Amino acid sequence: MTTSTTDTNLATLRHWIAMAEAGFAGDFLEVFTPDYAGHLAGRIDLDLALLKQTELGFGLAFTDTTRTVHELLAFDDRAVMRITTESTHSGEFRGIPPTGRRVRFTALVLYRFRDGRICESWTELDLAGLLQQLTAPEASAA
């Protein structure tokens, strides 16, 4: 039995999730094409080098991370993932010093594949909710 393109793309995406779980350890070129183009919430464009820098920087700012993949669907050269991430803010993020707070945010990512690797992605994440969790006054114990 031969492996379908959809199966190959899902395997690549699962490998990417495993790399994320391992702190983004590994060769990004196993998962992404050299000419990768990422689009983050319609405002930030990423090439492969900036994607790697962003992911590694996030790993320094947020530790003790757990990810829950709620949906992982694929068809032809596309896949979509709906995910919730929970982390501890233990390093500076966007100029905000570590708060030690446990934060939770969601994301929806659409991927496009070429030759079994991710060549483009569109990510919508709840950055506003994340920043609110980092900057809101802490509730006082009564």
Side-chain angles (χ1 to χ4, degrees), residues 72-128:
L72 187 58
L73 309 167
F75 184 76
D76 291 336
D77 71 339
R78 306 288 167 133
V80 65
M81 177 175 63
R82 185 172 63 90
I83 188 168
T84 298
T85 302
E86 293 186 56
S87 293
T88 302
H89 181 218
S90 54
E92 184 177 320
F93 178 72
R94 293 194 166 204
I96 302 169
T99 62
R101 295 180 183 179
R102 190 82 178 148
V103 296
R104 180 178 188 209
F105 63 96
T106 59
L108 185 64
V109 188
L110 173 66
Y111 297 93
R112 186 169 66 86
F113 295 83
R114 185 174 64 241
D115 300 324
R117 291 189 287 170
I118 300 167
C119 62
E120 194 167 16
S121 68
W122 296 263
T123 303
E124 293 291 331
L125 62 89
D126 184 15
L127 183 59

Side-chain angles (χ1 to χ4, degrees), residues 5-137:
T5 300
T6 300
D7 291 339
T8 299
N9 295 343
L10 281 173
T12 299
L13 198 46
R14 287 185 181 105
H15 182 62
W16 172 235
I17 294 165
M19 283 179 64
E21 289 296 317
F24 298 101
D27 184 357
F28 277 53
L29 286 173
E30 292 177 357
V31 177
F32 296 91
T33 61
D35 62 343
Y36 165 79
H39 314 284
L40 182 58
R43 295 183 304 275
I44 300 169
D45 290 321
L46 308 167
D47 61 9
L48 187 57
L50 189 53
L51 171 71
K52 186 173 183 177
Q53 177 184 342
T54 299
E55 296 292 14
L56 292 173
F58 186 87
L60 293 173
F62 296 93
T63 57
D64 189 29
T65 300
T66 59
R67 293 171 182 82
T68 303
V69 177
H70 303 286
E71 308 281 346
L72 187 58
L73 309 167
F75 184 76
D76 291 336
D77 71 339
R78 306 288 167 133
V80 65
M81 177 175 63
R82 185 172 63 90
I83 188 168
T84 298
T85 302
E86 293 186 56
S87 293
T88 302
H89 181 218
S90 54
E92 184 177 320
F93 178 72
R94 293 194 166 204
I96 302 169
T99 62
R101 295 180 183 179
R102 190 82 178 148
V103 296
R104 180 178 188 209
F105 63 96
T106 59
L108 185 64
V109 188
L110 173 66
Y111 297 93
R112 186 169 66 86
F113 295 83
R114 185 174 64 241
D115 300 324
R117 291 189 287 170
I118 300 167
C119 62
E120 194 167 16
S121 68
W122 296 263
T123 303
E124 293 291 331
L125 62 89
D126 184 15
L127 183 59
L130 172 60
L131 292 173
Q132 182 180 24
Q133 292 172 73
L134 298 178
T135 58

